[in-house]
Amino acid sequence: MDTKRWKAAVRRGCVMAVAAVGAVVPVVAQAAPSGPDVSSWQHVDGRLIDWHAVRAAGHQFAMVKATEGLHYVNPYFVPDSILMRTAGVARGTYHYARPELPPEPQAALYAATVLGQNGPLDLPPVLDLEAPGGLSPAALVEWTHRYLNALQALTGRTPIIYTYPNFWKTAMADSNAFTRYPLWIADYSGNEHPEVPAGWPTWTFWQTTDRGSVPGIGGATDVNVYSGAQGDFARFANMSGLFGSS
């Protein structure tokens, strides 16, 4: 990561944190806790996200891409993490898996980048699994077990799995070997409930759209809701005693 770049980004973000943002059509308010997920793509023209505006729009959490494979770190991860905390937005972070590369070093890169996932306002770590990396279903299942075992050992928390129904059915052969992990499912079908892959009794997070509009974020962004499957959201996100669950 370019150190000068992210330090400058933090300084710009501190200004943005207290500045008003332009008019943006917000996502319709959800009864359940909701939040966007973002990567470098949401930093249009290098602009930082106004996380205070995100929180003011009613979103309690956000998922932020941290790493990918063995060599990529999101250049906006550090400023996003800092500014989310100042705004009281619970932080989820994820690693985009590259299964063509060994799993344990990827888990180590992610864990070193996020600097722990157990503090106040921290959701559990996330494995973003949507590329097979040329592996057969059996090999990909083994790769996923190895990554999740390493990640849990490094972070001390049970990871969340992000995926989408068709990928799980095909690339993972509809495996039911991972149902102890909370599920974050991407399903844009518009149905009342998302499709849940084999074995999982329910979903924990549902990515309902990849074309959401959220105040404080430039351009379209994914938007997610929390089901309550892991209990009270404030406890799940280590928010209890800080900002409550409202």
Side-chain angles (χ1 to χ4, degrees):
M1 180 187 301
D2 187 329
T3 303
K4 291 183 179 178
R5 184 179 180 184
W6 76 254
K7 284 184 177 178
V10 172
R11 288 195 294 269
R12 292 196 303 271
C14 290
V15 175
M16 289 183 62
V18 295
V21 295
V24 181
V25 178
V27 173
V28 176
Q30 302 277 354
S34 64
D37 62 272
V38 301
S39 66
S40 62
W41 292 105
Q42 277 67 48
H43 294 266
V44 179
D45 297 327
R47 297 195 301 269
L48 288 192
I49 292 169
D50 184 343
W51 288 105
H52 287 265
V54 174
R55 186 67 183 92
H59 298 292
Q60 296 186 33
F61 69 88
M63 305 293 196
V64 182
K65 182 175 182 177
T67 51
E68 177 177 334
L70 286 174
H71 302 103
Y72 177 80
V73 175
N74 175 6
Y76 297 97
F77 178 75
V78 170
D80 276 339
S81 293
I82 294 170
L83 296 174
M84 289 170 70
R85 291 179 187 278
T86 67
V89 177
R91 181 188 73 151
T93 68
Y94 64 90
H95 174 79
Y96 187 94
R98 289 296 183 185
E100 66 272 21
L101 301 171
E104 290 85 3
Q106 293 190 59
L109 171 65
Y110 166 83
T113 299
V114 300
L115 296 175
Q117 202 70 32
N118 291 287
L121 294 171
D122 272 339
L123 287 160
V126 178
L127 169 63
D128 179 349
L129 188 60
E130 52 183 302
L135 301 185
S136 68
L140 186 57
V141 165
E142 179 186 5
W143 187 99
T144 303
H145 276 303
R146 288 172 56 192
Y147 180 91
L148 293 170
N149 288 339
L151 183 58
Q152 185 161 356
L154 289 165
T155 64
R157 299 187 77 177
T158 301
I160 297 167
I161 295 175
Y162 169 92
T163 192
Y164 58 94
N166 188 59
F167 177 86
W168 200 264
K169 288 179 180 177
T170 56
M172 295 291 282
D174 220 19
S175 172
N176 63 1
F178 298 92
T179 56
R180 78 176 187 88
Y181 300 99
L183 173 67
W184 175 14
I185 191 70
D187 185 342
Y188 312 148
S189 62
N191 294 328
E192 185 177 357
H193 302 287
E195 182 180 351
V196 176
W200 269 290
T202 189
W203 53 276
T204 294
F205 291 102
W206 174 16
Q207 188 177 92
T208 59
T209 181
D210 61 350
R211 300 180 183 276
S213 178
V214 174
I217 299 178
T221 188
D222 304 332
V223 178
N224 310 272
V225 294
Y226 173 67
S227 70
Q230 306 303 317
D232 180 68
F233 182 76
R235 287 193 297 271
F236 191 47
N238 286 341
M239 295 172 71
S240 298
L242 292 174
F243 301 93
S245 57
S246 63

